[in-house]
Amino acid sequence: AKKHGSAGRGELVVAENVDEYRGAIASAVRDGDTVLEVGCHEGMTTYLLASCCGPDGLVVGADKSAHWLARAKARFPAVRFELIDCFDMGGLLQLQRDIGRPFSVIFVDVSGSRELRSLIPLVEALECALSPEMIVVKSFRLAQLQRRLQAANEYILRGSNGAGLPSRAGSPAEVASRTERLGNAMRSVQNERRRRSPTGIAHDSSG
C-alpha cells in the first residue's frame, strides 16, 4: 500500500488488493478512532476495523445492497451497518451527524476494478464532504496509475544524470543536451517576460 498526502488534505493510502487493504488497518486505525467503510459488502473488513479502534472507537460499515447488509448484520451483530450508497454524500453527512463525531478514517472498497473516472470523483467527494484524516482505497487501477506516475516522476528527477532512464530517452549525453536546451529556453522566456514587464521583474505564470 502506498501513502500520499498534501497540504490541507488528509492522507491517501492506495491498496492494490484485499490483502493490502486489510493489512493497512493496523497502521491506519488507532484506539478511539471513528471509522467508516463504504462498500462494506459482507462486513469482514468492517469487523476487522472494529477490532482495532478499541472500546472508545466507533466503526460503521455502509453499503447500497440490502442483501449484503443483512448478511453482514447476521454475521457480525456487534458491528454497526447502514444502508447508504457510497455516492450519497447527503446520507453520509447525516450519518456523521447522527453518530455525533467526525470520521477520522474512511476505508473505500467499491470494487477494485472500478473505473478511475468514477472512483477518483468519489474519493474527492468523500474528502470534501467528510474531511477525514486518512482515506484508504482498494483499487488495482489506481495502484497501477500511482506506480506509473511515481516512475515518471523519478525519471524526471533523475534524468539529468542519466540514472534509470527508459530506452527512448537516449544516451545520458543526449539527455544532458536536452536538459541544457530546456534550461536555456526557460531563461529565454523569463528574459522576455522581464523585458515586457513595466517593473522589469519576470512574473512566473502557467501556459
Side-chain angles (χ1 to χ4, degrees):
K2 299 292 185 179
K3 181 168 67 175
H4 294 273
S6 58
R9 293 191 172 202
E11 290 183 301
L12 174 65
V13 176
V14 180
E16 187 166 3
N17 52 53
V18 69
D19 289 335
E20 285 191 2
Y21 182 65
R22 291 173 178 168
I25 293 173
S27 57
V29 177
R30 299 176 300 202
D31 286 349
D33 271 342
T34 305
V35 185
L36 170 68
E37 185 186 23
V38 292
C40 65
H41 201 60
E42 286 190 272
M44 172 59 80
T45 301
T46 312
Y47 169 74
L48 296 175
L49 287 164
S51 73
C52 286
C53 69
D56 295 326
L58 176 65
V59 176
V60 182
D63 203 285
K64 68 178 181 179
S65 169
H67 168 74
W68 291 119
L69 274 186
R71 296 188 62 166
K73 290 178 179 180
R75 191 177 184 187
F76 305 109
V79 180
R80 180 170 178 172
F81 295 97
E82 298 289 342
L83 182 65
I84 305 175
D85 191 301
C86 64
F87 289 94
D88 180 7
M89 293 303 129
L92 293 174
L93 278 169
Q94 184 59 53
L95 171 62
Q96 185 168 255
R97 286 191 289 267
D98 289 345
I99 65 176
R101 49 201 284 187
F103 291 113
S104 47
V105 183
I106 299 176
F107 275 65
V108 181
D109 183 3
V110 288
S111 173
S113 60
R114 181 180 286 268
E115 294 287 342
L116 294 180
R117 60 188 175 186
S118 63
L119 178 64
I120 292 176
L122 170 61
V123 173
E124 290 282 343
L126 289 169
E127 187 172 56
C128 292
L130 302 176
S131 302
E133 297 173 23
M134 178 181 288
I135 294 178
V136 181
V137 57
K138 188 188 83 174
S139 169
F140 82 86
R141 293 182 188 274
L142 190 54
Q144 289 176 337
L145 175 61
Q146 190 177 59
R147 283 196 297 272
R148 292 177 65 183
L149 291 173
Q150 183 177 5
N153 186 54
E154 290 175 355
Y155 162 49
I156 292 170
L157 292 176
R158 296 185 298 175
S160 58
N161 61 18
L165 296 177
S167 58
R168 72 179 308 276
S171 69
E174 291 172 323
V175 173
S177 175
R178 290 198 297 272
T179 301
E180 182 180 3
R181 295 201 304 270
L182 177 61
N184 291 336
M186 292 176 67
R187 284 189 290 274
S188 176
V189 170
Q190 289 175 341
N191 289 337
E192 176 63 22
R193 286 175 176 161
R194 189 176 290 112
R195 286 194 296 268
R196 291 165 54 186
S197 171
T199 63
I201 299 175
H203 296 282
D204 189 22
S205 62
S206 61

